[in-house]
Amino acid sequence: MHYLTLVTVEIPKVEQEPEIDKRIQEELNKLKSGNNNGKNFMTDIYIERLNGLSNAFARCVDSEICSVLEPYAEQTDNPEYLEFEDHTEELRNEYENDCIDCIKLPNGKIVSIENRMVWDKFIIGDDGKVYQKYFGQLKRPKRSKKAKKMKALKNYPYKKLYKNFNAFAENEKYIYYNEYYNGYGYVYNPNAFYDWYSIGGRWPFLFLVKDSCTEYSVGEKSWCSHEEQSAPKGYKWVCTARKKDIEWNVMYRVAKENATKRFKILEKAFLDKKLPEGCYGRITENGITGFWDFQYKKDETLQQFLARNRIIRKYKYPNFACAYLIDGEYASEDSFNFADKNKRNRAWHKNLNRQIDALNEDTVLVGVDCHI
C-alpha cells in the first residue's frame, strides 16, 4: 500500500552547485534522447532519479530525508532501532506438549501436514485417510495412487516427529535462533511505517511555488504517474519546498477552480444519467458513488460540494497527506478513530493544519511516497 507522508526537515541556506547541475542535465538529455519515446522502463526510473537530484537544494533534501526516515524503516539493520520478539518459551512448550497430524510418506519419512513437501498437495480426510488435493480436471480431493501409498498419523507428538527442539523450531515453525539475543524469534522495528519510499513518487504535484524559486525538488515521479498537471502562469508544481515559498493562497484558488469544474461535470452527468469518458463511478438515485463515498450528492449545491471536500477558507492548508513525521513525531489519519468517516477526515485535516501552522517559515516540507 502506498500513502503520502508529510516529512519536515531543517536545511540551512544551500550554496548553488552549477557545475554539478550542468553534468546532471547533460546526462538527463542524453538519457531522454536515447530512450525511444519512453519505452525503456529502467531508463525512465534513472531519469526520474536524476530529476530528483537536479539542483543543490534537492540533493541536500534527498540526503537529509534518508537520515530522518532511517529510524522508521522496516528493513533497517541498525540495532539502535530494533527490538527482539522472543518466541522461545512458547515454542518450547509446544514442542514438549503438543501434537500435529502427520503423513507417512512411501519412503518411510514422517512429515507434518504443515510441511512444505505435502501441505499444498495432500490432506487427511475425515475418514483418517490421505487424499491428494486438487486432483484431476475437477481439482477435487481424491484417493489417488500416490495418496494410497501414504499413511495418516493423527495427533503425532512433536517430540517424536523432531529429534530435538532446534529442529522443531526451524523446520516446523521456521523460526531461527538469534545468537545476539540468545533466543528464537524475530528482530523488528516497532516504529516502522515504511519498507520503501521515494520523494514525490505517486504525488509529484503537491505544492505551488513561483517560477523564480530556486529551493525546491520535483522528486522522483512514479512510473505509474503519467498525467501532467499544468500550473498557473508564473508558478510551478513541486513536491518539496520551504514553507515560506509555498503559495498556499494560489493553491486554494486552483483547488477551488478545479473542484468547481468537477462539480459541474458530475452534476451534468447525474442529470443526464451518463458518466463522461474518464469519469469513473456509479450513478444511483441519490448521486454518483465512487470507491468509498459519494462523488456527487443529489441536489447538493456547489458550496455544499466544496465544504464536503473541505475546500473552504476555514482550512488554511489543503489536506494532502495521510500521515506526517514532524520533529520526530509520527501520526496518521488512522489514529483518529471515529466511526463516521467524514468526522475522522475533518479531525485529521484540522490536526494537519495545526501542525503546519506551527512550523517555522524556513522549515522544508517534503511529500514522501511511502510503501508498507
Side-chain angles (χ1 to χ4, degrees), residues 175-188:
I175 299 178
Y176 299 89
Y177 182 74
N178 188 299
E179 293 184 2
Y180 182 84
Y181 293 99
N182 191 31
Y184 290 84
Y186 307 99
V187 175
Y188 74 106

Side-chain angles (χ1 to χ4, degrees), residues 319-334:
N319 182 26
F320 60 91
C322 295
Y324 63 72
L325 178 64
I326 298 176
D327 294 331
E329 178 187 349
Y330 176 80
S332 73
E333 61 181 356
D334 291 337

